[in-house]
PDB file of all heavy atoms in Angstrom:
ATOM      1  N   SER D 185     -91.659  21.381-172.184  1.00  0.00           N
ATOM      2  CA  SER D 185     -92.969  21.300-172.827  1.00  0.00           C
ATOM      3  C   SER D 185     -93.119  21.915-174.181  1.00  0.00           C
ATOM      4  O   SER D 185     -92.503  23.014-174.405  1.00  0.00           O
ATOM      5  CB  SER D 185     -93.907  22.012-171.799  1.00  0.00           C
ATOM      6  OG  SER D 185     -95.185  22.145-172.368  1.00  0.00           O
ATOM      7  N   VAL D 186     -93.744  21.207-175.090  1.00  0.00           N
ATOM      8  CA  VAL D 186     -93.872  21.719-176.462  1.00  0.00           C
ATOM      9  C   VAL D 186     -95.311  21.410-176.941  1.00  0.00           C
ATOM     10  O   VAL D 186     -95.866  20.406-176.642  1.00  0.00           O
ATOM     11  CB  VAL D 186     -92.850  21.027-177.430  1.00  0.00           C
ATOM     12  CG1 VAL D 186     -93.057  21.544-178.865  1.00  0.00           C
ATOM     13  CG2 VAL D 186     -91.434  21.271-176.982  1.00  0.00           C
ATOM     14  N   ASN D 187     -95.794  22.410-177.706  1.00  0.00           N
ATOM     15  CA  ASN D 187     -97.173  22.199-178.229  1.00  0.00           C
ATOM     16  C   ASN D 187     -97.103  21.476-179.601  1.00  0.00           C
ATOM     17  O   ASN D 187     -96.249  21.880-180.368  1.00  0.00           O
ATOM     18  CB  ASN D 187     -97.961  23.506-178.353  1.00  0.00           C
ATOM     19  CG  ASN D 187     -99.381  23.278-178.653  1.00  0.00           C
ATOM     20  OD1 ASN D 187     -99.708  22.926-179.772  1.00  0.00           O
ATOM     21  ND2 ASN D 187    -100.209  23.624-177.690  1.00  0.00           N
ATOM     22  N   THR D 188     -97.961  20.489-179.884  1.00  0.00           N
ATOM     23  CA  THR D 188     -97.926  19.831-181.094  1.00  0.00           C
ATOM     24  C   THR D 188     -98.099  20.711-182.341  1.00  0.00           C
ATOM     25  O   THR D 188     -97.785  20.461-183.526  1.00  0.00           O
ATOM     26  CB  THR D 188     -98.980  18.688-181.145  1.00  0.00           C
ATOM     27  OG1 THR D 188    -100.212  19.212-180.863  1.00  0.00           O
ATOM     28  CG2 THR D 188     -98.597  17.597-180.201  1.00  0.00           C
ATOM     29  N   ASN D 189     -98.748  21.909-182.100  1.00  0.00           N
ATOM     30  CA  ASN D 189     -98.862  22.798-183.227  1.00  0.00           C
ATOM     31  C   ASN D 189     -97.554  23.310-183.758  1.00  0.00           C
ATOM     32  O   ASN D 189     -97.473  23.835-184.861  1.00  0.00           O
ATOM     33  CB  ASN D 189     -99.732  23.986-182.767  1.00  0.00           C
ATOM     34  CG  ASN D 189    -101.191  23.597-182.547  1.00  0.00           C
ATOM     35  OD1 ASN D 189    -101.606  22.483-182.937  1.00  0.00           O
ATOM     36  ND2 ASN D 189    -101.998  24.593-182.078  1.00  0.00           N
ATOM     37  N   ASN D 190     -96.500  23.243-182.866  1.00  0.00           N
ATOM     38  CA  ASN D 190     -95.211  23.711-183.287  1.00  0.00           C
ATOM     39  C   ASN D 190     -94.355  22.528-183.810  1.00  0.00           C
ATOM     40  O   ASN D 190     -93.157  22.664-184.068  1.00  0.00           O
ATOM     41  CB  ASN D 190     -94.496  24.320-182.142  1.00  0.00           C
ATOM     42  CG  ASN D 190     -95.271  25.649-181.816  1.00  0.00           C
ATOM     43  OD1 ASN D 190     -95.647  26.441-182.674  1.00  0.00           O
ATOM     44  ND2 ASN D 190     -95.356  25.855-180.486  1.00  0.00           N
ATOM     45  N   MET D 191     -94.973  21.407-184.026  1.00  0.00           N
ATOM     46  CA  MET D 191     -94.186  20.285-184.406  1.00  0.00           C
ATOM     47  C   MET D 191     -94.728  19.848-185.773  1.00  0.00           C
ATOM     48  O   MET D 191     -95.786  20.288-186.224  1.00  0.00           O
ATOM     49  CB  MET D 191     -94.379  19.038-183.446  1.00  0.00           C
ATOM     50  CG  MET D 191     -93.752  19.375-182.106  1.00  0.00           C
ATOM     51  SD  MET D 191     -94.371  18.283-180.677  1.00  0.00           S
ATOM     52  CE  MET D 191     -93.740  16.712-181.322  1.00  0.00           C
ATOM     53  N   ASP D 192     -93.898  18.982-186.563  1.00  0.00           N
ATOM     54  CA  ASP D 192     -94.443  18.585-187.861  1.00  0.00           C
ATOM     55  C   ASP D 192     -94.533  17.033-187.853  1.00  0.00           C
ATOM     56  O   ASP D 192     -94.152  16.380-186.977  1.00  0.00           O
ATOM     57  CB  ASP D 192     -93.508  19.145-188.969  1.00  0.00           C
ATOM     58  CG  ASP D 192     -92.058  18.613-188.763  1.00  0.00           C
ATOM     59  OD1 ASP D 192     -91.681  18.102-187.683  1.00  0.00           O
ATOM     60  OD2 ASP D 192     -91.322  18.663-189.800  1.00  0.00           O
ATOM     61  N   ASP D 193     -95.262  16.653-188.923  1.00  0.00           N
ATOM     62  CA  ASP D 193     -95.497  15.200-189.106  1.00  0.00           C
ATOM     63  C   ASP D 193     -94.250  14.577-189.694  1.00  0.00           C
ATOM     64  O   ASP D 193     -94.108  14.440-190.945  1.00  0.00           O
ATOM     65  CB  ASP D 193     -96.710  15.039-190.090  1.00  0.00           C
ATOM     66  CG  ASP D 193     -98.021  15.320-189.460  1.00  0.00           C
ATOM     67  OD1 ASP D 193     -97.994  15.628-188.279  1.00  0.00           O
ATOM     68  OD2 ASP D 193     -99.026  15.296-190.150  1.00  0.00           O
ATOM     69  N   LYS D 194     -93.379  14.266-188.820  1.00  0.00           N
ATOM     70  CA  LYS D 194     -92.111  13.688-189.326  1.00  0.00           C
ATOM     71  C   LYS D 194     -92.210  12.365-190.064  1.00  0.00           C
ATOM     72  O   LYS D 194     -93.108  11.577-189.762  1.00  0.00           O
ATOM     73  CB  LYS D 194     -91.170  13.459-188.077  1.00  0.00           C
ATOM     74  CG  LYS D 194     -90.557  14.696-187.523  1.00  0.00           C
ATOM     75  CD  LYS D 194     -89.280  14.978-188.131  1.00  0.00           C
ATOM     76  CE  LYS D 194     -88.501  16.136-187.606  1.00  0.00           C
ATOM     77  NZ  LYS D 194     -89.043  17.437-188.081  1.00  0.00           N
ATOM     78  N   VAL D 195     -91.357  12.133-191.082  1.00  0.00           N
ATOM     79  CA  VAL D 195     -91.280  10.912-191.724  1.00  0.00           C
ATOM     80  C   VAL D 195     -90.739   9.917-190.790  1.00  0.00           C
ATOM     81  O   VAL D 195     -89.710  10.179-190.153  1.00  0.00           O
ATOM     82  CB  VAL D 195     -90.371  11.053-192.984  1.00  0.00           C
ATOM     83  CG1 VAL D 195     -90.131   9.700-193.599  1.00  0.00           C
ATOM     84  CG2 VAL D 195     -91.022  11.981-193.998  1.00  0.00           C
ATOM     85  N   LEU D 196     -91.421   8.753-190.741  1.00  0.00           N
ATOM     86  CA  LEU D 196     -90.963   7.668-189.875  1.00  0.00           C
ATOM     87  C   LEU D 196     -90.299   6.544-190.697  1.00  0.00           C
ATOM     88  O   LEU D 196     -89.407   5.899-190.249  1.00  0.00           O
ATOM     89  CB  LEU D 196     -92.243   7.080-189.120  1.00  0.00           C
ATOM     90  CG  LEU D 196     -92.480   7.502-187.784  1.00  0.00           C
ATOM     91  CD1 LEU D 196     -91.951   8.915-187.411  1.00  0.00           C
ATOM     92  CD2 LEU D 196     -93.990   7.454-187.501  1.00  0.00           C
ATOM     93  N   PHE D 197     -90.935   6.441-191.926  1.00  0.00           N
ATOM     94  CA  PHE D 197     -90.447   5.281-192.776  1.00  0.00           C
ATOM     95  C   PHE D 197     -90.273   5.878-194.182  1.00  0.00           C
ATOM     96  O   PHE D 197     -91.079   6.419-194.780  1.00  0.00           O
ATOM     97  CB  PHE D 197     -91.556   4.183-192.764  1.00  0.00           C
ATOM     98  CG  PHE D 197     -91.021   2.907-193.316  1.00  0.00           C
ATOM     99  CD1 PHE D 197     -90.304   2.068-192.463  1.00  0.00           C
ATOM    100  CD2 PHE D 197     -91.235   2.552-194.569  1.00  0.00           C
ATOM    101  CE1 PHE D 197     -89.834   0.831-192.904  1.00  0.00           C
ATOM    102  CE2 PHE D 197     -90.757   1.334-195.069  1.00  0.00           C
ATOM    103  CZ  PHE D 197     -89.999   0.389-194.198  1.00  0.00           C
ATOM    104  N   LYS D 198     -89.030   5.711-194.639  1.00  0.00           N
ATOM    105  CA  LYS D 198     -88.642   6.265-195.876  1.00  0.00           C
ATOM    106  C   LYS D 198     -89.016   5.462-197.156  1.00  0.00           C
ATOM    107  O   LYS D 198     -89.286   4.231-196.999  1.00  0.00           O
ATOM    108  CB  LYS D 198     -87.148   6.605-196.034  1.00  0.00           C
ATOM    109  CG  LYS D 198     -86.639   7.480-194.813  1.00  0.00           C
ATOM    110  CD  LYS D 198     -85.245   7.833-195.001  1.00  0.00           C
ATOM    111  CE  LYS D 198     -84.269   6.827-194.307  1.00  0.00           C
ATOM    112  NZ  LYS D 198     -82.842   7.281-194.291  1.00  0.00           N
TER     113      LYS D 198
END
Side-chain angles (χ1 to χ4, degrees):
Chain D
S185 172
V186 179
N187 189 291
T188 52
N189 287 351
N190 294 316
M191 297 163 62
D192 60 343
D193 287 355
K194 283 270 183 284
V195 170
L196 264 24
F197 197 82
K198 301 187 273 188

